[in-house]
Amino acid sequence: DAGITQSPRHKVTETGTPVTLRCHQTENHRYMYWYRQDPGHGLRLIHYSYGVKDTDKGEVSDGYSVSRSKTEDFLLTLESATSSQTSVYFCAISESSPGQNSPLHFGNGTRLTVT
Amino acid sequence: AQRVTQPEKLLSVFKGAPVELKCNYSYSGSPELFWYVQYSRQRLQLLLRHISRESIKGFTADLNKGETSFHLKKPFAQEEDSAMYYCALSGQGGKLIFGQGTELSVKP
């Protein structure tokens, strides 16, 4: 398995509180992604990064922000958590722009519950 | 706009039966398509990619540009094939867009 660690693995938080999820990689890959997985919606891209301090929005970026100050770390922040953000969050990495020679490698996921 | 559609949420077949998981896409350029799989208690992982035209674990997928489809097929399903399958499209801007996923259940 690619060296990807997500923390925490599980979190329960209250509506309105800030939450930060961390993705750490040891592969020195340039691209990092945050997806959320929900029944009926599959995997939806929240934000992604194509280098240190270079990030862009995905399909469902509202209510989320990200930061990448080092190659190995990609942080996802929910500024004020809402119940609709209850989900399983996956981090993924790829060596270059995702294509035939650069598949995504996924972390184990973080299960977030907002009460 | 880039879009991937997997019309079946759940597909249930018996062991030894043929299986086809449907995937349709919408993309104006030349698409790169993939199938990813998530087995129980394992990480999501790449199963196969269209350009390599390979067969992985007996699965194949052919890109049909006329029908904008990339269906995943296996002639004889096995119990260990039970998993969640996602079709994905790599398009503009370094993004990989996934479909809604299809859960495959292979019964003994």
Side-chain angles (χ1 to χ4, degrees), chain B residues 23-25 31 33 50 53 61-71 73:
Chain B
C23 172
N24 289 91
Y25 67 91
L33 287 150
H50 90 265
R53 302 184 66 81
D62 290 319
L63 176 61
N64 186 323
K65 291 187 178 180
E67 295 183 358
T68 60
S69 68
F70 187 57
H71 303 329
K73 300 177 185 179

Side-chain angles (χ1 to χ4, degrees), chain B residues 62-87:
Chain B
D62 290 319
L63 176 61
N64 186 323
K65 291 187 178 180
E67 295 183 358
T68 60
S69 68
F70 187 57
H71 303 329
L72 183 68
K73 300 177 185 179
K74 185 169 183 177
F76 308 103
Q78 303 299 314
E79 289 179 69
E80 55 265 31
D81 295 328
S82 295
M84 195 74 178
Y85 291 81
Y86 290 96
C87 183

Side-chain angles (χ1 to χ4, degrees), chain A residues 16-53:
Chain A
T17 59
V19 177
T20 295
L21 308 183
R22 180 180 184 237
C23 178
H24 179 78
Q25 59 141 331
T26 58
E27 305 296 320
N28 201 36
H29 283 357
R30 181 182 171 193
Y31 283 73
M32 297 185 76
Y33 308 82
W34 278 107
Y35 287 89
R36 58 178 290 175
Q37 183 185 46
D38 303 288
H41 293 280
L43 286 162
R44 292 180 291 176
L45 182 64
I46 305 171
H47 282 280
Y48 69 105
S49 169
Y50 46 94
V52 174
K53 293 186 169 39

